[in-house]
Amino acid sequence: MIVYGIPNCNTVKKAMTWLTENGFKPEFHDFKKKGISGEKLNTWCDAFGWENVLNKKGTTWKKLSTEEQQEVNSKESAIKVLMVYTSAIKRPIIEVDGKPILISFSEENYQDALK
């Protein structure tokens, strides 16, 4: 299991706490430090929809110019922005055996997917 996110994100912290309290030993991938590949983003967008992978509620998205925001209208344009602004990726994203299974954190969703 790999948890993708950034360490100072409260949602990532909640997810990591829940996972460890429930007996999981997740590996953590800090995409701010380690980056993320276009291929990985493409896989996530296929699994969750690019609109869900792109975090439009976060400060990174809100800091983009109106023109930059308006240019994001497809999976390809979203991936291009997310490669540059990794903080705009909804987090955490959890993969098991290389497959994306969860995005963000909801105790109910985690219980359903992992128990």
Side-chain angles (χ1 to χ4, degrees), residues 24-77:
F24 296 96
K25 294 181 175 78
E27 177 185 330
F28 183 70
H29 178 103
D30 181 347
F31 50 62
K32 260 239 197 273
K33 289 184 179 170
K34 295 181 181 177
I36 204 72
S37 70
E39 183 180 336
K40 185 67 71 182
L41 286 167
N42 189 56
T43 300
W44 294 346
C45 288
D46 286 346
F48 304 117
W50 68 266
E51 298 93 339
N52 293 319
V53 175
L54 179 66
N55 182 9
K56 290 187 175 182
K57 293 180 182 174
T59 54
T60 301
W61 173 258
K62 291 175 182 174
K63 286 181 182 177
L64 297 180
S65 70
T66 304
E67 294 78 27
E68 286 174 305
Q69 290 178 357
Q70 289 174 342
E71 287 175 11
V72 179
N73 55 18
S74 67
K75 179 172 79 168
E76 293 74 22
S77 58

